Amino acid sequence: MAIYLIVALDVLNGIASLFLLCLGLAIIFGMMKIINLAHGEFIMLGAYATVISANAGVNIWIAMLVVAPLFVGILGLVIERCLIRFLYGRLVDSMLATWGLSLLIIGIITTIYGNTQQGVPTPLGGFSIGSYQSSYYTLFLASMAIVMMALVYGVMSYTRLGLIARATMQNPAMAATLGVNPARVYMSTFTVGAAITGLAGGLLAPVSGITPGMGGAYVAKAFMTVVGGGAAILSGTMSAASLFGAVNQIGAYFTTPVYGEVLVFTAAIVLIRLLPQGISGRFFKGNL
Amino acid sequence: MPIRFRLAAQAVAVALAIVAIALIPSTIELFAMMQLTLFAAMAVLALSLAFIWGFGGILSFGQTAFFGLGGYAYAIAAVNFQDSTPSILLAIIVPSVFAAILGYFIFFGRISDVYLGVITLTVTLILFNCVNSTSGDEYRIGKALLGGFNGMPGVPTFNVPFYPDQVLTPEQSWWVTGGALLAVFLLLRLLLSLPAGRIIVAVRENEVRASLLGYDPRKVKLLTFILSGAIAGLAGALYVNWGAFVGPTIFSLSLSAEIIIWITVGGLGTLLGPIVGCVLIEYIVAYIGSQQALNSNLVLGAVLVVFVLLLPKGLVPTARDLLMRLVPAPKPKARLAEGHVPPSAAASHMAGAE
């Protein structure tokens, strides 16, 4: 019995972390049809911001929940102004430029901090179910995922900002005729997406190895989850993250972590082949 | 330029290239020649992506999948047969078959742009993960141990066809690699000047129009994909021959990124550009590696960003345009094989257009 609970917790953990990792990318992709291949590096920067400020004596919770999103968000704003805004509507070029950006960020971080970085201990203790150990941090991650989901849903559905954002998403030209400035909406969207990504990096800092190249492990997963989910930000990301997170953890439980990954990648390929518009392009039309 | 003149110029250029390949070993020292051998092997890989991306309009992030499969196929076969002749053939056949299966899946499902990128990237990751986890005695194919993340050291290098005991010297290896590069270049150049090549470019320009003219874009893309996989596989064999080693990093994302950088720098929609870009970038990376002052990722990233923003055409087309401006010639007709785009179409910036 206990083992099932542990596997269930693992699945929950997989889904929650995948959702947090992808949300920022999904917002940027759903909004402006730009694939940010530097997404993994935004995560890495969030983790670095958390670890470095925590090691400098900042409270770990503040480092995770405030410093990381703020830092990466501001950086995202700068990047959008200097690079991304010239590339709207040029999908391939935006991919290439953000890929270049990702290499650039890895290079800068390696130059400054070297190839390794001292991590931070996982906050919150552990608990045991039967003879198995698990940590409260897993539950915290899951609740953070739910909070972020609720936050995005609330902002997008019930605020004026969200209304403007949805309008720009659906039809930028029409929104512009009604007095919205799409360029500014894009700018803020990119900033928010980057900040959420930084937050995800901060949250994962205590439970992952921290190196300049750590983003590479996430970017492919996030990329395929977002594309597999389709253009709807919440329903698409949530459904794809649930599917892939569950496949990953269950596959890892029955085989090895490596084959768990392979299973996810295979599932992603099959999914895109069956639903070229992503899950939300097929099942949740018109939803957020 | 009149066409006769152009043909003559091209013939002279090819002759010069042959002479250069022949004379290089007697003019430079061994280390530089070995480096050139590596660059030539990589340039063949660059050509494979230059062909499908620049002329087929298919941006594959997973060119390293075919490169790595070719490398591993060569290594496994060479260890088993102790003769490179069938191994090189296998290094071309295995990736082609793989490209055929994957391409059928992709193109007959009418998957394009971002989705295609995700799938090709994912396939590369799957291969990397699988090969990386094959350390252990149970993972052997015939006599060849796969070796997991340690790779396969001591792979037999090329030998004179059907004479396994006559292994090529570094000089002869250079001639084979440089010759292969020239051969692939000429093959693609020829293909693109034939009607078949025109069809490939037509599909890139406008799939609907091409299918209304009676060509099946799915088939055309599939064949393009297979050919490109075969070329990348050959490049893999040449690469393994250079180092006598193959490891799972051959499937790595960073190499995929590098190929794309070569082409962006050299010029999309040309064949010469990617070769120039490849040699240039690889030389810079090697130089930085020997200097230890700057991080190579930093430089590569900066180069890619600068080129996408400021010089999106790449070096070779830009140089060609400058030359065209210098030579007061009547305006040349749009050359399809060069992917010439009128200014009005350039604004809509499709994948594959310059």
Side-chain angles (χ1 to χ4, degrees), chain B residues 201-231:
Chain B
V201 175
V203 168
R204 175 196 77 191
E205 289 298 315
N206 190 328
E207 269 190 50
V208 177
R209 195 191 315 158
S211 50
L212 288 173
L213 289 170
Y215 305 108
D216 186 347
R218 297 173 306 179
K219 271 187 200 154
V220 173
K221 280 178 159 180
L222 180 58
L223 289 171
T224 315
F225 201 62
I226 293 172
L227 180 59
S228 143
I231 294 170

PDB file of all heavy atoms in Angstrom, chain B residues 201-231:
ATOM      1  N   VAL B 201      13.101  22.807 -54.618  1.00  0.00           N
ATOM      2  CA  VAL B 201      13.010  24.231 -54.285  1.00  0.00           C
ATOM      3  C   VAL B 201      11.572  24.723 -54.432  1.00  0.00           C
ATOM      4  O   VAL B 201      11.099  25.533 -53.631  1.00  0.00           O
ATOM      5  CB  VAL B 201      13.974  25.044 -55.168  1.00  0.00           C
ATOM      6  CG1 VAL B 201      13.807  26.526 -54.917  1.00  0.00           C
ATOM      7  CG2 VAL B 201      15.407  24.631 -54.878  1.00  0.00           C
ATOM      8  N   ALA B 202      10.862  24.194 -55.439  1.00  0.00           N
ATOM      9  CA  ALA B 202       9.466  24.605 -55.638  1.00  0.00           C
ATOM     10  C   ALA B 202       8.624  24.252 -54.415  1.00  0.00           C
ATOM     11  O   ALA B 202       7.779  25.038 -53.981  1.00  0.00           O
ATOM     12  CB  ALA B 202       8.905  23.929 -56.880  1.00  0.00           C
ATOM     13  N   VAL B 203       8.866  23.073 -53.854  1.00  0.00           N
ATOM     14  CA  VAL B 203       8.117  22.652 -52.662  1.00  0.00           C
ATOM     15  C   VAL B 203       8.457  23.568 -51.494  1.00  0.00           C
ATOM     16  O   VAL B 203       7.589  23.934 -50.704  1.00  0.00           O
ATOM     17  CB  VAL B 203       8.422  21.182 -52.323  1.00  0.00           C
ATOM     18  CG1 VAL B 203       7.882  20.823 -50.948  1.00  0.00           C
ATOM     19  CG2 VAL B 203       7.819  20.274 -53.371  1.00  0.00           C
ATOM     20  N   ARG B 204       9.737  23.961 -51.388  1.00  0.00           N
ATOM     21  CA  ARG B 204      10.112  24.865 -50.315  1.00  0.00           C
ATOM     22  C   ARG B 204       9.375  26.199 -50.461  1.00  0.00           C
ATOM     23  O   ARG B 204       8.857  26.744 -49.491  1.00  0.00           O
ATOM     24  CB  ARG B 204      11.619  25.122 -50.348  1.00  0.00           C
ATOM     25  CG  ARG B 204      12.037  26.149 -49.313  1.00  0.00           C
ATOM     26  CD  ARG B 204      13.416  26.701 -49.580  1.00  0.00           C
ATOM     27  NE  ARG B 204      13.408  27.666 -50.658  1.00  0.00           N
ATOM     28  CZ  ARG B 204      14.501  28.138 -51.239  1.00  0.00           C
ATOM     29  NH1 ARG B 204      15.674  27.690 -50.874  1.00  0.00           N
ATOM     30  NH2 ARG B 204      14.425  29.035 -52.199  1.00  0.00           N
ATOM     31  N   GLU B 205       9.331  26.698 -51.690  1.00  0.00           N
ATOM     32  CA  GLU B 205       8.741  28.016 -51.921  1.00  0.00           C
ATOM     33  C   GLU B 205       7.257  28.030 -51.618  1.00  0.00           C
ATOM     34  O   GLU B 205       6.749  28.973 -51.028  1.00  0.00           O
ATOM     35  CB  GLU B 205       8.977  28.445 -53.371  1.00  0.00           C
ATOM     36  CG  GLU B 205      10.411  28.807 -53.681  1.00  0.00           C
ATOM     37  CD  GLU B 205      10.888  29.992 -52.855  1.00  0.00           C
ATOM     38  OE1 GLU B 205      10.138  30.969 -52.751  1.00  0.00           O
ATOM     39  OE2 GLU B 205      11.999  29.920 -52.301  1.00  0.00           O
ATOM     40  N   ASN B 206       6.546  26.991 -52.068  1.00  0.00           N
ATOM     41  CA  ASN B 206       5.104  26.989 -51.893  1.00  0.00           C
ATOM     42  C   ASN B 206       4.546  25.591 -52.107  1.00  0.00           C
ATOM     43  O   ASN B 206       4.440  25.120 -53.228  1.00  0.00           O
ATOM     44  CB  ASN B 206       4.468  27.971 -52.890  1.00  0.00           C
ATOM     45  CG  ASN B 206       3.005  28.198 -52.585  1.00  0.00           C
ATOM     46  OD1 ASN B 206       2.329  27.297 -52.096  1.00  0.00           O
ATOM     47  ND2 ASN B 206       2.518  29.371 -52.867  1.00  0.00           N
ATOM     48  N   GLU B 207       4.197  24.951 -51.005  1.00  0.00           N
ATOM     49  CA  GLU B 207       3.765  23.548 -51.102  1.00  0.00           C
ATOM     50  C   GLU B 207       2.479  23.382 -51.906  1.00  0.00           C
ATOM     51  O   GLU B 207       2.349  22.470 -52.701  1.00  0.00           O
ATOM     52  CB  GLU B 207       3.559  22.970 -49.703  1.00  0.00           C
ATOM     53  CG  GLU B 207       4.798  22.328 -49.156  1.00  0.00           C
ATOM     54  CD  GLU B 207       4.528  21.553 -47.882  1.00  0.00           C
ATOM     55  OE1 GLU B 207       3.590  20.744 -47.875  1.00  0.00           O
ATOM     56  OE2 GLU B 207       5.257  21.781 -46.912  1.00  0.00           O
ATOM     57  N   VAL B 208       1.555  24.296 -51.665  1.00  0.00           N
ATOM     58  CA  VAL B 208       0.258  24.182 -52.346  1.00  0.00           C
ATOM     59  C   VAL B 208       0.447  24.316 -53.852  1.00  0.00           C
ATOM     60  O   VAL B 208      -0.078  23.524 -54.643  1.00  0.00           O
ATOM     61  CB  VAL B 208      -0.711  25.256 -51.824  1.00  0.00           C
ATOM     62  CG1 VAL B 208      -2.020  25.185 -52.585  1.00  0.00           C
ATOM     63  CG2 VAL B 208      -0.945  25.068 -50.338  1.00  0.00           C
ATOM     64  N   ARG B 209       1.268  25.304 -54.239  1.00  0.00           N
ATOM     65  CA  ARG B 209       1.492  25.521 -55.657  1.00  0.00           C
ATOM     66  C   ARG B 209       2.146  24.281 -56.274  1.00  0.00           C
ATOM     67  O   ARG B 209       1.762  23.835 -57.357  1.00  0.00           O
ATOM     68  CB  ARG B 209       2.388  26.752 -55.856  1.00  0.00           C
ATOM     69  CG  ARG B 209       2.390  27.256 -57.265  1.00  0.00           C
ATOM     70  CD  ARG B 209       3.468  28.296 -57.496  1.00  0.00           C
ATOM     71  NE  ARG B 209       3.527  29.271 -56.420  1.00  0.00           N
ATOM     72  CZ  ARG B 209       4.629  29.998 -56.173  1.00  0.00           C
ATOM     73  NH1 ARG B 209       5.698  29.848 -56.912  1.00  0.00           N
ATOM     74  NH2 ARG B 209       4.626  30.867 -55.202  1.00  0.00           N
ATOM     75  N   ALA B 210       3.123  23.741 -55.554  1.00  0.00           N
ATOM     76  CA  ALA B 210       3.822  22.569 -56.082  1.00  0.00           C
ATOM     77  C   ALA B 210       2.862  21.404 -56.264  1.00  0.00           C
ATOM     78  O   ALA B 210       2.919  20.694 -57.271  1.00  0.00           O
ATOM     79  CB  ALA B 210       4.964  22.172 -55.161  1.00  0.00           C
ATOM     80  N   SER B 211       1.951  21.226 -55.297  1.00  0.00           N
ATOM     81  CA  SER B 211       1.047  20.083 -55.440  1.00  0.00           C
ATOM     82  C   SER B 211       0.022  20.335 -56.537  1.00  0.00           C
ATOM     83  O   SER B 211      -0.413  19.399 -57.200  1.00  0.00           O
ATOM     84  CB  SER B 211       0.379  19.739 -54.106  1.00  0.00           C
ATOM     85  OG  SER B 211      -0.163  20.880 -53.525  1.00  0.00           O
ATOM     86  N   LEU B 212      -0.324  21.608 -56.756  1.00  0.00           N
ATOM     87  CA  LEU B 212      -1.252  21.905 -57.857  1.00  0.00           C
ATOM     88  C   LEU B 212      -0.575  21.658 -59.206  1.00  0.00           C
ATOM     89  O   LEU B 212      -1.239  21.370 -60.202  1.00  0.00           O
ATOM     90  CB  LEU B 212      -1.727  23.351 -57.777  1.00  0.00           C
ATOM     91  CG  LEU B 212      -2.706  23.636 -56.635  1.00  0.00           C
ATOM     92  CD1 LEU B 212      -2.994  25.113 -56.531  1.00  0.00           C
ATOM     93  CD2 LEU B 212      -3.995  22.862 -56.841  1.00  0.00           C
ATOM     94  N   LEU B 213       0.747  21.769 -59.229  1.00  0.00           N
ATOM     95  CA  LEU B 213       1.471  21.477 -60.466  1.00  0.00           C
ATOM     96  C   LEU B 213       1.685  19.983 -60.650  1.00  0.00           C
ATOM     97  O   LEU B 213       2.299  19.554 -61.608  1.00  0.00           O
ATOM     98  CB  LEU B 213       2.824  22.182 -60.454  1.00  0.00           C
ATOM     99  CG  LEU B 213       2.763  23.704 -60.600  1.00  0.00           C
ATOM    100  CD1 LEU B 213       4.108  24.322 -60.328  1.00  0.00           C
ATOM    101  CD2 LEU B 213       2.278  24.081 -61.986  1.00  0.00           C
ATOM    102  N   GLY B 214       1.199  19.200 -59.690  1.00  0.00           N
ATOM    103  CA  GLY B 214       1.234  17.761 -59.870  1.00  0.00           C
ATOM    104  C   GLY B 214       2.344  17.043 -59.142  1.00  0.00           C
ATOM    105  O   GLY B 214       2.562  15.854 -59.355  1.00  0.00           O
ATOM    106  N   TYR B 215       3.093  17.756 -58.290  1.00  0.00           N
ATOM    107  CA  TYR B 215       4.113  17.054 -57.510  1.00  0.00           C
ATOM    108  C   TYR B 215       3.556  16.795 -56.117  1.00  0.00           C
ATOM    109  O   TYR B 215       2.814  17.609 -55.583  1.00  0.00           O
ATOM    110  CB  TYR B 215       5.379  17.902 -57.401  1.00  0.00           C
ATOM    111  CG  TYR B 215       5.910  18.313 -58.736  1.00  0.00           C
ATOM    112  CD1 TYR B 215       5.814  19.622 -59.174  1.00  0.00           C
ATOM    113  CD2 TYR B 215       6.500  17.364 -59.578  1.00  0.00           C
ATOM    114  CE1 TYR B 215       6.284  19.996 -60.411  1.00  0.00           C
ATOM    115  CE2 TYR B 215       6.963  17.724 -60.818  1.00  0.00           C
ATOM    116  CZ  TYR B 215       6.852  19.044 -61.240  1.00  0.00           C
ATOM    117  OH  TYR B 215       7.313  19.397 -62.463  1.00  0.00           O
ATOM    118  N   ASP B 216       3.956  15.673 -55.545  1.00  0.00           N
ATOM    119  CA  ASP B 216       3.496  15.366 -54.196  1.00  0.00           C
ATOM    120  C   ASP B 216       4.530  15.871 -53.202  1.00  0.00           C
ATOM    121  O   ASP B 216       5.606  15.275 -53.074  1.00  0.00           O
ATOM    122  CB  ASP B 216       3.309  13.849 -54.048  1.00  0.00           C
ATOM    123  CG  ASP B 216       2.694  13.496 -52.701  1.00  0.00           C
ATOM    124  OD1 ASP B 216       2.641  14.375 -51.822  1.00  0.00           O
ATOM    125  OD2 ASP B 216       2.265  12.340 -52.544  1.00  0.00           O
ATOM    126  N   PRO B 217       4.243  16.974 -52.507  1.00  0.00           N
ATOM    127  CA  PRO B 217       5.266  17.542 -51.620  1.00  0.00           C
ATOM    128  C   PRO B 217       5.737  16.578 -50.548  1.00  0.00           C
ATOM    129  O   PRO B 217       6.884  16.620 -50.137  1.00  0.00           O
ATOM    130  CB  PRO B 217       4.572  18.759 -50.994  1.00  0.00           C
ATOM    131  CG  PRO B 217       3.176  18.717 -51.402  1.00  0.00           C
ATOM    132  CD  PRO B 217       3.016  17.753 -52.520  1.00  0.00           C
ATOM    133  N   ARG B 218       4.833  15.681 -50.132  1.00  0.00           N
ATOM    134  CA  ARG B 218       5.227  14.743 -49.085  1.00  0.00           C
ATOM    135  C   ARG B 218       6.345  13.830 -49.573  1.00  0.00           C
ATOM    136  O   ARG B 218       7.337  13.600 -48.880  1.00  0.00           O
ATOM    137  CB  ARG B 218       4.016  13.903 -48.662  1.00  0.00           C
ATOM    138  CG  ARG B 218       2.904  14.743 -48.060  1.00  0.00           C
ATOM    139  CD  ARG B 218       1.667  13.927 -47.807  1.00  0.00           C
ATOM    140  NE  ARG B 218       1.229  13.224 -49.016  1.00  0.00           N
ATOM    141  CZ  ARG B 218       0.170  12.424 -49.057  1.00  0.00           C
ATOM    142  NH1 ARG B 218      -0.553  12.247 -47.977  1.00  0.00           N
ATOM    143  NH2 ARG B 218      -0.159  11.815 -50.157  1.00  0.00           N
ATOM    144  N   LYS B 219       6.170  13.327 -50.808  1.00  0.00           N
ATOM    145  CA  LYS B 219       7.191  12.432 -51.364  1.00  0.00           C
ATOM    146  C   LYS B 219       8.499  13.189 -51.580  1.00  0.00           C
ATOM    147  O   LYS B 219       9.573  12.685 -51.265  1.00  0.00           O
ATOM    148  CB  LYS B 219       6.705  11.870 -52.702  1.00  0.00           C
ATOM    149  CG  LYS B 219       5.917  10.602 -52.554  1.00  0.00           C
ATOM    150  CD  LYS B 219       5.616  10.010 -53.920  1.00  0.00           C
ATOM    151  CE  LYS B 219       4.435   9.057 -53.815  1.00  0.00           C
ATOM    152  NZ  LYS B 219       3.715   8.928 -55.066  1.00  0.00           N
ATOM    153  N   VAL B 220       8.382  14.413 -52.118  1.00  0.00           N
ATOM    154  CA  VAL B 220       9.579  15.196 -52.403  1.00  0.00           C
ATOM    155  C   VAL B 220      10.355  15.441 -51.116  1.00  0.00           C
ATOM    156  O   VAL B 220      11.573  15.237 -51.038  1.00  0.00           O
ATOM    157  CB  VAL B 220       9.195  16.542 -53.061  1.00  0.00           C
ATOM    158  CG1 VAL B 220      10.418  17.434 -53.205  1.00  0.00           C
ATOM    159  CG2 VAL B 220       8.557  16.292 -54.412  1.00  0.00           C
ATOM    160  N   LYS B 221       9.629  15.837 -50.067  1.00  0.00           N
ATOM    161  CA  LYS B 221      10.294  16.115 -48.796  1.00  0.00           C
ATOM    162  C   LYS B 221      10.912  14.856 -48.221  1.00  0.00           C
ATOM    163  O   LYS B 221      12.011  14.892 -47.661  1.00  0.00           O
ATOM    164  CB  LYS B 221       9.281  16.666 -47.790  1.00  0.00           C
ATOM    165  CG  LYS B 221       8.973  18.130 -47.970  1.00  0.00           C
ATOM    166  CD  LYS B 221       7.941  18.505 -46.953  1.00  0.00           C
ATOM    167  CE  LYS B 221       7.908  19.980 -46.665  1.00  0.00           C
ATOM    168  NZ  LYS B 221       6.887  20.263 -45.664  1.00  0.00           N
ATOM    169  N   LEU B 222      10.198  13.739 -48.352  1.00  0.00           N
ATOM    170  CA  LEU B 222      10.714  12.483 -47.808  1.00  0.00           C
ATOM    171  C   LEU B 222      12.029  12.118 -48.491  1.00  0.00           C
ATOM    172  O   LEU B 222      13.012  11.767 -47.830  1.00  0.00           O
ATOM    173  CB  LEU B 222       9.678  11.376 -48.009  1.00  0.00           C
ATOM    174  CG  LEU B 222      10.073   9.997 -47.492  1.00  0.00           C
ATOM    175  CD1 LEU B 222      10.369  10.071 -46.007  1.00  0.00           C
ATOM    176  CD2 LEU B 222       8.973   8.986 -47.749  1.00  0.00           C
ATOM    177  N   LEU B 223      12.069  12.232 -49.823  1.00  0.00           N
ATOM    178  CA  LEU B 223      13.293  11.887 -50.549  1.00  0.00           C
ATOM    179  C   LEU B 223      14.430  12.837 -50.165  1.00  0.00           C
ATOM    180  O   LEU B 223      15.573  12.411 -49.980  1.00  0.00           O
ATOM    181  CB  LEU B 223      13.033  11.924 -52.059  1.00  0.00           C
ATOM    182  CG  LEU B 223      12.155  10.775 -52.551  1.00  0.00           C
ATOM    183  CD1 LEU B 223      11.753  10.967 -53.995  1.00  0.00           C
ATOM    184  CD2 LEU B 223      12.886   9.442 -52.383  1.00  0.00           C
ATOM    185  N   THR B 224      14.099  14.121 -50.017  1.00  0.00           N
ATOM    186  CA  THR B 224      15.107  15.097 -49.592  1.00  0.00           C
ATOM    187  C   THR B 224      15.677  14.710 -48.237  1.00  0.00           C
ATOM    188  O   THR B 224      16.895  14.734 -48.016  1.00  0.00           O
ATOM    189  CB  THR B 224      14.450  16.493 -49.471  1.00  0.00           C
ATOM    190  OG1 THR B 224      13.629  16.707 -50.601  1.00  0.00           O
ATOM    191  CG2 THR B 224      15.483  17.581 -49.382  1.00  0.00           C
ATOM    192  N   PHE B 225      14.773  14.322 -47.345  1.00  0.00           N
ATOM    193  CA  PHE B 225      15.145  13.954 -45.983  1.00  0.00           C
ATOM    194  C   PHE B 225      16.068  12.731 -45.982  1.00  0.00           C
ATOM    195  O   PHE B 225      17.072  12.682 -45.269  1.00  0.00           O
ATOM    196  CB  PHE B 225      13.854  13.644 -45.208  1.00  0.00           C
ATOM    197  CG  PHE B 225      13.974  13.721 -43.720  1.00  0.00           C
ATOM    198  CD1 PHE B 225      14.306  14.907 -43.093  1.00  0.00           C
ATOM    199  CD2 PHE B 225      13.729  12.607 -42.939  1.00  0.00           C
ATOM    200  CE1 PHE B 225      14.387  14.978 -41.706  1.00  0.00           C
ATOM    201  CE2 PHE B 225      13.803  12.674 -41.555  1.00  0.00           C
ATOM    202  CZ  PHE B 225      14.138  13.860 -40.945  1.00  0.00           C
ATOM    203  N   ILE B 226      15.722  11.739 -46.823  1.00  0.00           N
ATOM    204  CA  ILE B 226      16.519  10.514 -46.881  1.00  0.00           C
ATOM    205  C   ILE B 226      17.920  10.821 -47.394  1.00  0.00           C
ATOM    206  O   ILE B 226      18.923  10.370 -46.832  1.00  0.00           O
ATOM    207  CB  ILE B 226      15.830   9.461 -47.769  1.00  0.00           C
ATOM    208  CG1 ILE B 226      14.526   8.996 -47.112  1.00  0.00           C
ATOM    209  CG2 ILE B 226      16.749   8.270 -48.010  1.00  0.00           C
ATOM    210  CD1 ILE B 226      13.683   8.114 -47.988  1.00  0.00           C
ATOM    211  N   LEU B 227      17.993  11.621 -48.470  1.00  0.00           N
ATOM    212  CA  LEU B 227      19.299  11.961 -49.032  1.00  0.00           C
ATOM    213  C   LEU B 227      20.144  12.683 -47.992  1.00  0.00           C
ATOM    214  O   LEU B 227      21.339  12.392 -47.819  1.00  0.00           O
ATOM    215  CB  LEU B 227      19.120  12.824 -50.284  1.00  0.00           C
ATOM    216  CG  LEU B 227      20.414  13.257 -50.962  1.00  0.00           C
ATOM    217  CD1 LEU B 227      21.234  12.047 -51.372  1.00  0.00           C
ATOM    218  CD2 LEU B 227      20.143  14.129 -52.172  1.00  0.00           C
ATOM    219  N   SER B 228      19.503  13.602 -47.286  1.00  0.00           N
ATOM    220  CA  SER B 228      20.241  14.356 -46.285  1.00  0.00           C
ATOM    221  C   SER B 228      20.712  13.443 -45.158  1.00  0.00           C
ATOM    222  O   SER B 228      21.836  13.588 -44.645  1.00  0.00           O
ATOM    223  CB  SER B 228      19.359  15.478 -45.763  1.00  0.00           C
ATOM    224  OG  SER B 228      19.553  15.677 -44.423  1.00  0.00           O
ATOM    225  N   GLY B 229      19.872  12.469 -44.778  1.00  0.00           N
ATOM    226  CA  GLY B 229      20.281  11.504 -43.763  1.00  0.00           C
ATOM    227  C   GLY B 229      21.469  10.688 -44.213  1.00  0.00           C
ATOM    228  O   GLY B 229      22.399  10.426 -43.434  1.00  0.00           O
ATOM    229  N   ALA B 230      21.474  10.308 -45.484  1.00  0.00           N
ATOM    230  CA  ALA B 230      22.581   9.525 -46.022  1.00  0.00           C
ATOM    231  C   ALA B 230      23.883  10.326 -45.967  1.00  0.00           C
ATOM    232  O   ALA B 230      24.937   9.808 -45.575  1.00  0.00           O
ATOM    233  CB  ALA B 230      22.273   9.111 -47.460  1.00  0.00           C
ATOM    234  N   ILE B 231      23.799  11.610 -46.341  1.00  0.00           N
ATOM    235  CA  ILE B 231      25.001  12.458 -46.338  1.00  0.00           C
ATOM    236  C   ILE B 231      25.513  12.627 -44.909  1.00  0.00           C
ATOM    237  O   ILE B 231      26.723  12.533 -44.641  1.00  0.00           O
ATOM    238  CB  ILE B 231      24.699  13.823 -46.985  1.00  0.00           C
ATOM    239  CG1 ILE B 231      24.390  13.630 -48.467  1.00  0.00           C
ATOM    240  CG2 ILE B 231      25.881  14.763 -46.826  1.00  0.00           C
ATOM    241  CD1 ILE B 231      23.853  14.863 -49.139  1.00  0.00           C
TER     242      ILE B 231
END
